Amino acid sequence: MLPKLKLYDTYRRGLFEFIPLSERHVTLYACGPTVYDYAHIGNLRTYLLVDVLKRVLELNNHLVKHVMNITDVGHLTSDADIGEDKMQKGARKHNKTAWEIAKYFEQAFLEDLQALNIRLPQVLCRATEHIEAQIAYILVLEKKGYTYRTGDGIYFDTRKLVSYGKLAKLKIAGLKAGIRVDLGEKRQVTDFALWKFSRLKAEQSQRQMQWSSPWGVGFPGWHIECSAMSEQYLGNRFDIHVGGEDHISVHHSNEIAQCEGRHGHQPANFWIHGYFLQLNQEKLSKSGKSVLLSDLVELGFDALSYRYLLLCSHYRSHMNFSIEALGSAGKALQRLRCSMQKWPDGGAVDVHFQQQFLQHINNDLSMPRAMAVLWAVTKSSLKGADKKATLLYFDQVCALDLDRQVMKVSIPSAVILLAQERQQARLNKNWLLSDQLRAALLQLGYRVKDTAEGFELVAT
Ligand code: AMP
Ligand code: ZN
């Protein structure tokens, strides 16, 4: 029997049983990358959370419709709606057009996901391809009286919503009192841009991404893309919305405000936030201090070692990255794969361990505990074949390619086959054949050592 799936909802600040809006189909929206540079390993931690969540939902017999946006316009360097569009800045840095870098970094991002066994969403939608939907959304907000115009754009008037900031438990009064930043023409510090103008002729000629709109030539604000696209693909009420913890106070609070303004309710039943990965206790940033997945691969690590490392900490706690920890993760993964290789096929999933695993993953995706169950299986008295079957069942969520053949490069598959045959001969107590195969392996340059787990091959 499946234990109840419980997830932590930031909006209600608690753990709640997950009951989807429709019995089998789960609608999931995840905020995607701003494609002005490579995603760093911190960003990838958040996408891994989405992947684990999806896999857990699927193991709970749900069909998931997953939508993710690509922010290729409108995300400014400051959350206070001032500063430059990150895409424009990225274009200058890389000496390419904003369109070119959007395409290039989106592709690089998708390759990172693939290397980490993070499956792609059903819908991948780009902000620049949904300008009309965003304009239509803003028009409704305008008609309902939630907007005002300044010299540089159309803004959402957060004072019009009593519930504004509920997700972040924002203390609006405190924000006003402590404010030191220049509000410009904004009425409240929490107000945010829905549409920004390319005001001056010079600005218009420099900006590579701009569109005409009922308010003049310009580009959409960052938050409106997620409201417009989530609604287009999932409707105005869906099951789960995911993003990094930094989105709680601004981006997601503003997405909620837009939906409240348009529909009178917030969009998602569950708000799930991944806590940040840090580097020596410091923040990672795309443009500053950054480590990429490709850096780790260049150092000789298997990308899935990083996945393994991420699975060892809970998504609702901060995690500090270190190369030493990655090295240990890599070794652990290698050991698992070696064991798997020695165990024969044809076993059955152990129900007792399966239940333990399900209990943990269904308890707010407690992957570190689920990983402990995985190791308990390897050390248990189960038959090798059953261990293998049980680990393969777990791998539907862990996605560590546990059945990947290791030492493929250094040990030819023919040699591994011979060693497996020898192990089978030993199991059948056919000592003669077993000895013959040992001799054959020696001739090929490999000494076979019998271990508690099965065997080990050592090059002579
Ligand atoms: P961005 O491309 O900057 O819009 O960020 C993409 C995603 O990564 C967002 O969901 C962010 O909240 C998340 N994110 C940013 N930095 C980190 C970090 N250090 N650790 C985990 N997630 C992060
Ligand atoms: Zn978003």
Side-chain angles (χ1 to χ4, degrees), residues 153-174:
I154 304 295
Y155 282 81
F156 190 101
D157 190 347
T158 52
R159 201 187 34 187
K160 296 263 164 77
L161 272 184
V162 271
S163 60
Y164 182 82
K166 187 167 175 244
L167 175 77
K169 293 198 187 307
L170 287 182
K171 303 254 183 313
I172 310 285

Side-chain angles (χ1 to χ4, degrees), residues 5 25 68 256 270 290 459:
L5 172 59
H25 288 80
M68 183 171 73
I256 289 173
F270 278 80
S290 183

Side-chain angles (χ1 to χ4, degrees), residues 55 114-118 302-305 307-308 311 333-334 336-338 340-341 391-392 394-406:
R55 290 171 183 274
Q114 205 178 9
L116 286 173
N117 273 350
I118 295 175
D302 170 352
L304 291 183
S305 303
R307 185 173 174 114
Y308 183 102
L311 294 177
L333 180 57
Q334 179 80 356
L336 283 173
R337 287 181 180 152
C338 283
M340 288 287 280
Q341 201 162 290
L391 259 55
L392 283 178
F394 296 172
D395 213 29
Q396 292 176 83
V397 173
C398 302
L400 293 166
D401 288 357
L402 290 179
D403 57 347
R404 188 191 286 175
Q405 292 283 312
V406 281

Side-chain angles (χ1 to χ4, degrees), residues 29-32 69 71 222-223 225-227 241-243 247 251-252 255 271:
Y29 186 87
C31 291
N69 64 308
T71 300
W222 170 37
H223 318 294
E225 68 174 85
C226 287
S227 291
H241 197 312
V242 193
H247 286 347
H251 182 53
H252 289 169
E255 273 188 53
W271 288 86

Side-chain angles (χ1 to χ4, degrees), residues 37-81:
D37 216 322
Y38 293 105
H40 57 59
I41 54 171
N43 301 129
L44 295 173
R45 182 181 194 206
T46 295
Y47 300 109
L48 181 104
L49 159 64
V50 180
D51 187 63
V52 168
L53 171 64
K54 262 168 75 176
R55 290 171 183 274
V56 168
L57 287 165
E58 284 169 4
L59 216 59
N60 280 273
N61 299 322
H62 295 298
L63 290 170
V64 185
K65 180 169 181 189
H66 172 204
V67 177
M68 183 171 73
N69 64 308
I70 297 282
T71 300
D72 53 1
V73 70
H75 193 171
L76 304 187
T77 47
S78 152
D79 275 350
D81 288 311

